[in-house]
Amino acid sequence: MNRRLCMTAKCIALMISLCVIISSCSLFKRPEQKSAQTDGKKEPPKSLTLMEQETEKIIKSIEDVRKEREKLQREQMKPSEPEGEQKQGGLVRQNEQQEQNDQGQNQQGQGQEEQDQKQQGEKGQQKQERQTQQPKTPLLNWNQIEKSIESIHSAWNSFEPDAIVEGVSPEDISGFEDQLNTLTEHIMSRVEEETLTSANELYSYFPEFLNLYKHKQPPEIKKMRFLTRQILLYGQQDNWPEAKALIVDIRKAWQTAKARMQKKDEALNKKIDAAIQDFAYVVDNEKISLAQLKGQILLKNLDQIK
């Protein structure tokens, strides 16, 4: 009887021990599950991704047209002739003029009407040749830009309720709406400079929005894109004090981005370090052509971050 009681007591003790162990395991796991749920972020909604892509498209379309225009202007620039060639050319033109005068005297018998018709025909032909040879100035496709801004308005209508739920500040929401309306007005008015500036300012809101969601590329990379473009805009306006001040912000954003990277590409990061240094140097020396070149190199490097 005593043996049965002992066995029963041992079984009860064993069962109690198992229950304690299972309960302990459950207690240890619950905080981990709760932490994962708390720290986990959702994927960014398609509406937010679409707005960022369409804004980028507007900016790039203007930048591409401007590059083509600048290239065309450089091609049309002709170096001045050396002094010796100018004198020689002047003598040749004088001789040609003299020959023409002599010919004119010999042709006095011809009818005046025939000469006038011939001259008009030659002028018309020369004008047509010049128009054919002269390349056309690149123009913006404003209709395509209008389609982009319409897509952004539609996407914002879908994203705004999510933004409120996710905790976007009322200031950022109203600020984005105001900037979106300003950009739209500039597009409808077909003002290129103001459209580019407003589109870049609108782009500055996306890093803040994207910080609320999961990311592979840190949102600070997009902030660096905005800052780089803003520096170039200031440089084109000869506003170098404002441009130089933003270099500090680029460096800060880059340090934050590197700290948040899930997978670091050390070789690429070193390239970006060097690109920032080179960009800062030419901005500090107020050289707009070099700043545009170095700025584009920096932007291309940023595009490679995954």
Side-chain angles (χ1 to χ4, degrees), residues 45-283:
K46 292 182 179 180
S47 54
L48 176 55
T49 303
L50 176 64
M51 286 194 295
E52 189 265 331
Q53 291 174 345
E54 291 296 331
T55 306
E56 178 75 23
K57 189 186 297 184
I58 292 173
I59 295 171
K60 195 172 186 307
S61 66
I62 299 175
E63 289 179 339
D64 288 346
V65 167
R66 288 190 162 195
K67 288 177 188 175
E68 288 297 319
R69 288 179 190 157
E70 291 171 0
K71 181 180 178 182
L72 181 60
Q73 290 175 357
R74 289 194 297 270
E75 291 175 350
Q76 291 177 340
M77 292 173 62
K78 295 181 179 179
S80 58
E81 296 178 356
E83 186 177 353
E85 293 182 6
Q86 289 178 356
K87 290 181 178 179
Q88 185 178 0
L91 291 172
V92 171
R93 285 191 292 273
Q94 288 178 3
N95 292 335
E96 291 176 350
Q97 184 64 39
Q98 184 62 40
E99 290 177 0
Q100 291 176 0
N101 292 336
D102 294 341
Q103 290 176 0
Q105 293 175 359
N106 295 331
Q107 295 174 353
Q108 288 179 357
Q110 295 181 355
Q112 187 66 35
E113 184 177 351
E114 182 180 347
Q115 291 181 9
D116 292 342
Q117 290 177 353
K118 184 178 179 181
Q119 289 176 359
Q120 290 177 359
E122 290 175 351
K123 289 180 180 179
Q125 184 177 358
Q126 291 174 358
K127 182 178 180 181
Q128 186 176 2
E129 290 176 354
R130 285 196 300 269
Q131 291 176 346
T132 303
Q133 294 174 358
Q134 186 176 3
K136 294 182 180 179
T137 302
L139 299 175
L140 279 175
N141 187 342
W142 286 105
N143 291 333
Q144 188 61 48
I145 292 176
E146 281 190 19
K147 290 180 181 178
S148 292
I149 199 64
E150 289 171 4
S151 296
I152 295 172
H153 275 279
S154 178
W156 173 247
N157 179 249
S158 298
F159 175 69
E160 186 176 5
D162 292 337
I164 295 172
V165 172
E166 295 297 333
V168 177
S169 68
E171 292 78 13
D172 282 343
I173 290 176
S174 61
F176 184 88
E177 286 181 338
D178 291 341
Q179 192 57 48
L180 179 59
N181 292 336
T182 299
L183 172 59
T184 306
E185 290 173 355
H186 288 155
I187 290 173
M188 297 305 178
S189 299
R190 300 293 196 265
V191 281
E192 182 179 305
E193 181 72 22
E194 289 81 354
T195 297
L196 179 58
T197 302
S198 296
N200 196 48
E201 290 177 1
L202 187 73
Y203 192 88
S204 69
Y205 284 88
F206 295 122
E208 297 298 325
F209 294 161
L210 289 168
N211 261 321
L212 300 171
Y213 302 93
K214 287 182 180 179
H215 63 266
K216 293 181 181 178
Q217 184 190 79
E220 285 75 20
I221 298 299
K222 298 190 185 300
K223 183 176 182 179
M224 292 176 68
R225 296 183 64 82
F226 154 71
L227 291 169
T228 301
R229 285 170 169 156
Q230 191 62 43
I231 288 171
L232 294 176
L233 286 171
Y234 281 143
Q236 291 167 357
Q237 299 165 4
D238 205 28
N239 187 358
W240 291 107
E242 294 285 352
K244 294 174 185 178
L246 293 182
I247 291 292
V248 177
D249 296 332
I250 284 184
R251 295 187 190 277
K252 288 181 180 178
W254 176 231
Q255 293 304 317
T256 304
K258 286 194 290 187
R260 299 184 68 182
M261 287 180 181
Q262 297 177 0
K263 295 181 180 179
K264 296 184 180 181
D265 185 336
E266 295 297 340
L268 177 58
N269 287 357
K270 288 179 181 179
K271 284 176 61 177
I272 295 175
D273 286 334
I276 293 173
Q277 185 66 25
D278 293 343
F279 184 53
Y281 176 79
V282 294
V283 169

Side-chain angles (χ1 to χ4, degrees), residues 8-27:
T8 302
K10 287 180 180 181
C11 290
I12 293 172
L14 181 60
M15 292 176 63
I16 293 172
S17 299
L18 289 172
C19 291
V20 171
I21 292 172
I22 293 171
S23 299
S24 300
C25 292
S26 300
L27 290 172

